[in-house]
Amino acid sequence: MATAMETRPQQKASSEAATEKKRWTLSDFDIGKPLGRGKFGHVYVAKEKRSNHVVALKVLFKSQLKQSQVEHQLRREVEIQSHLRHPNILRLYGYFYDQQRVYLILEYAAKGELYKELQKFKCFTERRSATYVASLARALIYCHGKHVIHRDIKPENLLIGSQGELKIADFGWSVHTFSRRRTMCGTLDYLPPEMVESLEHDASVDIWSLGILCYEFLYGAPPFEAEEHSDTYRRIRQVDLKFPSKPVVSAAAKDLISQMLVKDTSKRLPLHKLLEHPWIVQNADPSGVYRSG
Ligand code: AK4
C-alpha cells in the first residue's frame, strides 16, 4: 500500500545522487481539510499527486521550533520513526522543508484521535481496552527490540486507523537507548552494570505508561490524578493505586494493572508476559482491531 510513497524515482540527472531519493516538495501534494492544530503547527489531510496516496501532512513553523529549542528533538523523532515499520505505529514517510516551515509526511489515521473517543465514551469496555493494550504491547515490544523507547505513551499520542486499529504517533520524546553508537559497536567490557542493563531498565518506563493507560481506558481518568501537581507527584512516588467501585472492572484487569504499576522497575510485568495474561487472552481481539457493535 505504501510502496508508491517509498520508491520515488531517483534523480538520474545528478550522477553523484544516483541512489538518493527524490526530495519532496509542497507541490507534490494536494492539500485537503485541516485535521487539527497543535502548538507547533497544523495537520492537514493531503494527497500525493503521483500515487494518489492519502497522507497526513504536519506543518511545523521553524521559528517556533527554534524558540522552543526542540529542533534536535524533531530530528531525533524523524530519524527514529522513519525506520519503524509496525501496523500499530504511525508511519513517518518522510519530511521536507522550505524557508519558514518543516513538513512531516505521516500515515493518515482515518478515525482520528483516541482521546476524543475516550472523551465521548468516558471509558472503554474491557474488550476494547484489552484490544488496545495488547496492540500497544506488541508495538512497544517491536520498538524495544530496536532499542527504541517511546517514553510518552498517552491518549493524546494515539490515533485510530480506518479499520479501528490503534497507532502510536509522535515519537518526539522517544530515545534510541544505544545512541552512543561508538560504544555499542566497540567492546562491552568497560560498561558498568546499569549501562549493560540499560535497555531493559529504561524500556520499563513504557510498561508503567501502558499500565496508566490501561487504567485510564477502564476508569476514564489516570490513577494518580489529583487537584494539585504536588499531590499527583506524591501519589506516583508512593504508587498510591486505588480502584474505585464504579465503574465495575473485573478482578483480572485490576490484577494486570497492579502488575504493571510497580515501583521497582525490574519487577514490572514484561510486555511478552502481559500478552499471556488471562485478562488480555480472554478480552483482546486477536486481530488487534476493535470492532464496535
Ligand atoms: C491531528 C488523523 C516534534 C517536535 C515538535 C495522522 C512536533 C491523523 C495526525 C492525525 C510531531 C507527530 C503526529 C505524528 C500526528 C499528527 O493531529 O490532526 C490528528 N490526526 N487525525 N496524523 N492522521 N496527526 S504529530 N507525529 N510528530 O508532531 N512531532 C513534533 Cl520536537 C513538534
Side-chain angles (χ1 to χ4, degrees), residues 35-254:
L35 287 167
R37 49 198 63 193
K39 187 181 166 209
F40 293 94
H42 299 183
V43 184
Y44 300 89
V45 64
K47 195 158 78 179
E48 201 273 316
K49 290 175 185 169
R50 251 184 85 256
S51 65
N52 273 334
H53 191 83
V54 175
V55 298
L57 208 58
K58 178 144 186 175
V59 185
L60 300 158
F61 285 92
K62 282 180 177 175
S63 55
Q64 289 172 14
L65 295 169
K66 278 210 183 79
Q67 222 164 46
S68 309
Q69 298 184 301
V70 291
E71 300 121 299
H72 65 286
Q73 202 174 305
L74 182 64
R75 230 171 259 128
R76 189 166 59 192
E77 174 182 357
V78 169
E79 163 86 1
I80 289 174
Q81 205 172 347
S82 60
H83 289 103
L84 301 177
R85 304 286 149 90
H86 189 277
N88 299 112
I89 297 172
L90 194 81
R91 278 291 306 275
L92 178 69
Y93 297 118
Y95 72 98
F96 56 95
Y97 50 86
D98 56 28
Q99 280 274 301
Q100 274 114 42
R101 293 162 286 248
V102 180
Y103 303 83
L104 300 181
I105 312 168
L106 296 155
E107 178 183 1
Y108 172 52
K111 290 193 176 156
E113 293 159 297
L114 180 115
Y115 85 89
K116 286 190 179 154
E117 284 287 289
L118 194 54
Q119 269 177 353
K120 186 168 135 195
F121 292 100
K122 301 267 281 196
C123 45
F124 294 149
T125 62
E126 302 215 5
R127 213 165 60 83
R128 187 172 191 175
S129 302
T131 302
Y132 287 161
V133 169
S135 300
L136 280 162
R138 282 187 224 103
L140 290 171
I141 288 169
Y142 170 84
C143 288
H144 295 170
K146 291 192 172 286
H147 310 300
V148 170
I149 304 169
H150 189 282
R151 300 200 302 179
D152 198 24
I153 302 290
K154 55 185 182 189
E156 290 79 0
N157 288 342
L158 301 175
L159 297 169
I160 308 173
S162 62
Q163 304 301 305
E165 73 281 25
L166 187 129
K167 307 260 179 195
I168 306 182
D170 202 341
F171 278 66
W173 284 101
S174 63
V175 282
H176 197 266
T177 42
F178 295 133
S179 53
R180 274 183 265 172
R181 285 197 193 89
R182 235 180 265 134
T183 313
M184 287 321 293
C185 290
T187 173
L188 277 170
D189 292 308
Y190 301 90
L191 294 179
E194 69 270 21
M195 275 202 69
V196 177
E197 287 167 5
S198 77
L199 167 64
E200 275 180 51
H201 192 77
D202 294 347
S204 63
V205 305
D206 284 340
I207 305 178
W208 176 278
S209 310
L210 187 53
I212 301 288
L213 202 61
C214 184
Y215 185 107
E216 185 166 1
F217 287 164
L218 294 165
Y219 288 98
F224 306 121
E225 205 176 54
E227 295 277 323
E228 292 293 329
H229 189 80
S230 59
D231 289 329
T232 304
Y233 188 73
R234 178 187 50 77
R235 293 193 64 198
I236 294 171
R237 243 184 14 239
Q238 299 172 348
V239 196
D240 179 21
L241 181 62
K242 292 178 187 136
F243 297 107
S245 53
K246 287 275 171 63
V248 175
V249 167
S250 70
K254 291 184 222 175

Side-chain angles (χ1 to χ4, degrees), residues 201 204 208 239 260-269:
H201 192 77
S204 63
W208 176 278
V239 196
M260 300 173 82
L261 299 181
V262 175
K263 186 152 178 155
D264 183 343
T265 56
S266 69
K267 298 219 164 77
R268 291 178 196 156
L269 187 72

